[in-house]
Amino acid sequence: MKISFYFKIAMMIVSLGAVLYAIRALQTREFKQKLSDPQSALGVLIGSDYRPLNWCPGGTVKVEVYSLTGELKKTLTSSSEISGVCEIMMGGFTSEGVEEAAYKKRLIALTSSGESKILEQNEKVPVFRAQGMPFSSPMLTKALERLESP
């Protein structure tokens, strides 16, 4: 028999081993934790509970960051900073403790033509609201904490 026959058989065995290893790796607890992490791109590809959302209007040139008390903390003008707070991962939440009156203005996105959109945050629980749609976003929570720290 030719050497190519043995090479094909060896490749099939290696491929079968790789498939079996991948099946076992997909069933581990660490992999499932990575899937539920909102910072993980793997979760978006495979189907976690978090979905991408860009709540800012097109052509945003400035984003104003407010504290929960209503004072202006920072103004973001660079495109990387703006995309860090505009392009977020949103997910579901439980409605326990969420009160309609407890939403405070946190971010205002402004375009060069004067159009603006407001993102609000519930002051008691980490739930946000953009255009009346509430959602959770651990990624946005971390970004806001980072922006508020000196």
Side-chain angles (χ1 to χ4, degrees):
M1 291 197 181
K2 293 185 176 182
I3 191 81
S4 64
F5 175 75
Y6 292 113
F7 181 71
K8 288 177 185 176
I9 295 295
M11 287 301 293
M12 286 183 187
I13 291 172
V14 168
S15 298
L16 178 64
V19 167
L20 292 175
Y21 177 77
I23 289 171
R24 293 188 132 224
L26 291 174
Q27 294 175 344
T28 62
R29 183 173 28 160
E30 292 83 18
F31 182 78
K32 290 178 184 175
Q33 286 174 342
K34 285 181 185 177
L35 272 182
S36 63
D37 181 15
Q39 303 285 355
S40 170
L42 184 64
V44 174
L45 292 173
I46 294 182
S48 69
D49 292 337
Y50 291 93
R51 298 284 178 248
L53 168 73
N54 188 346
W55 64 273
C56 295
T60 300
V61 293
K62 179 171 75 168
V63 175
E64 296 175 344
V65 181
Y66 291 86
S67 68
L68 282 172
T69 59
E71 73 179 84
L72 179 63
K73 286 289 194 179
K74 206 176 243 189
T75 301
L76 309 176
T77 55
S78 76
S79 60
S80 62
E81 289 178 327
I82 291 173
S83 69
V85 294
C86 286
E87 299 168 3
I88 58 173
M89 299 298 287
M90 67 171 222
F93 64 95
T94 60
S95 59
E96 283 182 27
V98 177
E99 298 174 15
E100 186 67 26
Y103 282 99
K104 303 291 182 186
K105 169 177 62 174
R106 283 307 302 264
L107 299 169
I108 297 179
L110 301 161
T111 63
S112 58
S113 64
E115 180 186 355
S116 68
K117 284 192 179 178
I118 298 174
L119 183 125
E120 302 168 309
Q121 181 180 6
N122 194 302
E123 61 186 348
K124 296 180 180 164
V125 292
V127 174
F128 299 93
R129 182 170 69 180
Q131 298 176 327
M133 180 182 69
F135 59 90
S136 69
S137 179
M139 176 182 168
L140 184 58
T141 303
K142 289 178 187 176
L144 288 173
E145 288 171 358
R146 181 183 37 119
L147 289 172
E148 286 186 355
S149 65

